[in-house]
Amino acid sequence: MAGKLKMPQVATVIVCGRSVHSAKMRGTADGKRIANISIAVDRGFGEKKEVSFFDCVAFGKTAEYIERDCADGHGIAVFIQGTLQQRRWEKDGVKRSAVEIVVDRYSCLEWPDEGKKAPPPAKEIDEEIDDASAPF
């Protein structure tokens, strides 16, 4: 008999969609910020258009960026990459669970108004690169 099948356990997801509401913010005892946001993602078009909603949670600096970018409410286009996580709890004797995306990477794809400052552009590097030293 051949060896056991070794399959990696992967729960990574990438979502591009629009914020459903302003980020709901809270903090930990040590001051770390936590943001909860829901993202709406469309599939199809016309009468066959469907919308899925994904709950997301972000921590630290990522949460602060989400708070800054999604403070004005719904409809902000965002990119989120993260890991699926299932939470389980019991309330009034009923077992419940929820699946959410723990955000690893986040990017705002637009800004809601002209008054809001966009993040600064990436720094340009003003040095010549020797083609011989390139690794490819």
Side-chain angles (χ1 to χ4, degrees):
M1 180 176 185
K4 291 184 179 182
L5 175 65
K6 293 182 180 180
M7 185 173 86
Q9 303 293 312
V10 180
T12 300
V13 45
I14 296 174
V15 177
C16 286
R18 296 196 172 272
S19 61
V20 175
H21 54 75
S22 296
K24 296 175 183 170
M25 301 300 298
R26 61 187 195 280
T28 62
D30 62 351
K32 194 176 201 181
R33 303 292 288 157
I34 301 171
N36 288 89
I37 192 162
S38 292
I39 304 301
V41 178
D42 297 341
R43 285 189 322 272
F45 55 92
E47 291 181 19
K48 294 185 179 188
K49 183 176 177 178
E50 296 179 12
V51 180
S52 295
F53 297 91
F54 300 97
D55 293 329
C56 304
V57 61
F59 301 91
K61 278 291 192 191
T62 305
E64 292 173 19
Y65 293 139
I66 290 173
E67 178 181 28
R68 176 196 68 194
D69 297 338
C70 299
D72 294 339
H74 68 284
I76 307 301
V78 297
F79 165 91
I80 288 179
Q81 178 179 343
T83 306
L84 290 177
Q85 169 182 281
Q86 183 180 28
R87 292 184 298 115
R88 295 181 180 145
W89 69 96
E90 191 171 319
K91 183 176 180 180
D92 301 326
V94 178
K95 292 182 179 180
R96 299 176 183 256
S97 70
V99 175
E100 62 191 0
I101 300 170
V102 178
V103 180
D104 296 323
R105 293 186 177 168
Y106 160 82
S107 183
C108 182
L109 302 177
E110 66 179 331
W111 286 266
D113 59 42
E114 294 298 320
K116 189 167 268 205
K117 267 183 125 175
K123 289 183 181 179
E124 289 188 26
I125 299 173
D126 211 17
E127 67 181 79
E128 289 187 31
I129 298 174
D130 179 18
D131 288 341
S133 66
F136 48 88

